[in-house]
Amino acid sequence: MTIETSVLERYSAGAHSVQTELCCPVDYDRALLALLPQEIIAKDYGCGDPSRYVKAGDVVLDLGSGSGKICYMAAQLVGAGGKVIGVDMNDDMLALARKYQGEMAEKLGEDRVEFVKGQIQDLALDWAAVNAYLAEHPVKNAEDMLALRAWQEQQRATAPLIKDNSVDLVVSNCVLNLVHDSDKEQLIREIFRVVKPGGRVAISDIVSDETVPGHLKQDPHLWSGCVSGALQEHEFLEAFIKAGFIAISYDKWENQAWQVVEGIEFRAVTITAVKPAGNTCTDKGHAVIYRGPYSEVYDDEGHVYYRGQRMAVCERNYQLLTGDAYGDDFIGIAPAQEQAGKPWDCATGTLRAVAETKGGVHEDKCSPGGGCC
């Protein structure tokens, strides 16, 4: 039995009857759950609550959306201007999620949720379209297989399931570990592809404190049970760094292991990350002050920030450092009169003279009202 078959079979069973061993205890927002049908809640299998990171107006993509619980929770948070897309490969789970789509649309006042069939490691290929193609062009020989591959490549290029740079927030709840190890790098590249510049990810998943040995990876029951496919805790973060994300951090980390198998601890975590907003770096006179408590810190691009010093930053990094990802750690100082702007040419660690920022607007998330005190 392949990993993919094992996962599909186990979660198909989970769509028909509750599989309690697939769940980690999670404290979800009860106000959001109140609107959901009980069957969706009971047959959801996760290890975290990435819905907590949803903002009004977001386009949200839920990888491995299952029963649709996180999607329907997110739909309440995005509001009338937002949209939620759930991607899953399991027909039974898709049927369960869609079963209540009309009821939820009525409760929300509009249909903000869409469920589509696809593999999360290949978000460009629409599997509903694949099935329609195969119904008309069954594969009977090697030539048919080559034609199918050519058609798939054309579909990815001209009619992708999820378009490039189209999503504000990618969420997932205990699903990345179910993907085969050989596909995990492609999976995270796909997440990077679909997120808008400046967009975010919030991934709840299972990690291990040690690398999972080969004989455990060969156990289909442990794999479909969210154990054998877990990435080692440091490698999990490194995979997102390698894909190009920044501001990567463990926002949630369960103190107690969910399971211990052969001395290896498997625990639930949630990581957050940001896709860089772009490559244009313009100097308009902005500065930031790192609050501490460390004497200095470095960001993912190698810039250093000394505690208590007015550090020169480009406009792009100013927006990043005073936003949600870093805003609790930095005080931003916008110039009193914004300069016309010039290409960034300052070495890392360059200080901004006080005279250049005197009288500028202070951006301080930690102050009452989020402004200067």
Side-chain angles (χ1 to χ4, degrees), residues 42-184:
K43 294 177 179 177
D44 172 80
Y45 308 105
C47 58
D49 182 10
S51 72
R52 297 179 183 274
Y53 303 86
V54 176
K55 298 179 181 178
D58 274 347
V59 175
V60 178
L61 176 66
D62 182 11
L63 304 181
S65 50
S67 72
K69 183 173 82 173
I70 295 296
C71 289
Y72 289 127
M73 292 172 70
Q76 299 172 62
L77 297 169
V78 298
K83 180 180 180 180
V84 182
I85 306 167
V87 178
D88 208 293
M89 191 61 184
N90 189 300
D91 287 328
D92 292 307
M93 281 295 184
L94 286 168
L96 173 58
R98 290 167 175 162
K99 176 180 176 181
Y100 295 99
Q101 197 165 353
E103 177 183 328
M104 290 301 301
E106 186 174 345
K107 290 178 179 179
L108 293 169
E110 62 178 350
D111 192 359
R112 300 173 193 161
V113 183
E114 176 186 9
F115 295 101
V116 296
K117 184 173 182 177
Q119 292 182 300
I120 62 174
Q121 65 267 40
D122 186 1
L123 293 169
L125 187 59
D126 183 342
W127 277 82
V130 172
N131 287 339
Y133 174 90
L134 289 173
E136 295 186 7
H137 308 88
V139 176
K140 299 178 180 178
N141 51 46
E143 288 73 24
D144 291 342
M145 179 65 74
L146 292 174
L148 171 62
R149 290 176 181 174
W151 176 86
Q152 288 176 330
E153 287 305 308
Q154 182 182 33
Q155 284 292 111
R156 290 185 180 100
T158 61
L161 180 65
I162 309 296
K163 296 180 180 179
D164 295 3
N165 305 313
S166 62
V167 176
D168 296 295
L169 174 67
V170 173
V171 299
S172 182
N173 196 1
C174 213
V175 173
L176 270 61
N177 65 78
L178 297 175
V179 173
H180 197 286
D181 285 347
S182 62
D183 292 331
K184 283 188 170 75

Side-chain angles (χ1 to χ4, degrees), residues 278-299:
N279 295 321
T280 303
C281 205
T282 305
D283 187 359
K284 293 187 176 181
H286 294 83
V288 296
I289 298 175
Y290 168 57
R291 293 175 171 279
Y294 306 107
S295 61
E296 62 187 53
V297 294
Y298 290 81
D299 64 20

